[in-house]
Amino acid sequence: GTLALVLASCATSVLDARSPGDDPPRPNIVFFLADNLGYGDIGAFGMPSVATPNIDSLAADGMRLFNWNSAAVVCSPSRAALLSGRLPVRTGVWPEVFPGDATAGLSLSETTFPQLLQQAGYLTGAVGKWHLGHTTPYLPTRRGFHSWLGIHDAMSGGSFDDDGYGHPVICDSDLHRTRWMPLFANET
C-alpha cells in the first residue's frame, strides 16, 4: 500500500515554561491513514519481510491501536469519516471518491478533528493525498490543518506544472527530465 495521508499534531505550549501544578503536557498525536494497507503490512504489526524501521520506532515509543475498522473501502469516504468522526453517508462523501472535475468536497458544515485540535492549542499538519476536494474552500488548510504538503487526489501525478485548476505545483524531474508527482504546498 502507499502512504496516503499522515495527520500530525504537536502541542504549541512550551513544556519547559510550565509552572508547578500546571496540567501535564499534552501528547503529540500522529495518525496514519494508508490506502490498501493491511493490518500486518508493517513491522510493528508483524510483517517479517518488509523493513519499516521509522514507523516501528514511532509505534514502540507511542501507543498502538489494535482494533480499527474503516468506514469505507475507498479513500474519500474513509478520509471523511476519520476527519469528522461520522459515517461517510452523513458527511455527503458517499458512495465513491470525488472525480477530478468535482467542484465540492467534504461538506463545509462538518467539523473536523484538526479544527478541534487547533481550538485546543495544537499545531496541525497533513502530508499526503487529500482527496476531499481540490478547490480552495475544501483544501486541508481550510479544514483545520495549519500546513499541508501533498496531492489533491488519487492520481494528481504525471508530467505537468499546473494542476489544471490554476494552482502551480511543486515538481521535480529525473535524469531524463520526466516530471513526477506534483506536491502541493498549503493552498498553492
Side-chain angles (χ1 to χ4, degrees), residues 24 30 32 65 71 79 109 186:
V30 178
F32 288 91
L65 305 176
R79 283 168 171 68
S109 65
N186 299 322

Side-chain angles (χ1 to χ4, degrees), residues 95-186:
E96 54 194 37
V97 301
F98 287 106
D101 62 352
T103 57
L106 175 63
S107 174
L108 298 176
S109 65
E110 291 293 339
T111 301
T112 66
F113 84 85
Q115 290 169 319
L116 298 174
L117 288 171
Q118 277 190 359
Q119 291 172 10
Y122 279 83
L123 291 175
T124 58
V127 178
K129 182 172 80 172
W130 177 243
H131 217 172
L132 289 172
H134 60 262
T135 57
T136 301
Y138 301 98
L139 292 177
T141 51
R142 301 291 179 103
R143 303 314 313 266
F145 291 102
H146 287 99
S147 63
W148 169 58
L149 179 66
I151 61 174
H152 287 143
D153 54 44
M155 290 305 206
S156 292
S159 300
F160 55 86
D161 294 320
D162 183 291
D163 69 352
Y165 305 101
H167 301 110
V169 297
I170 301 169
C171 297
D172 203 354
S173 58
D174 63 18
L175 295 175
H176 305 288
R177 306 286 302 150
T178 302
R179 307 287 285 179
W180 296 105
M181 189 63 72
L183 294 177
F184 299 86
N186 299 322

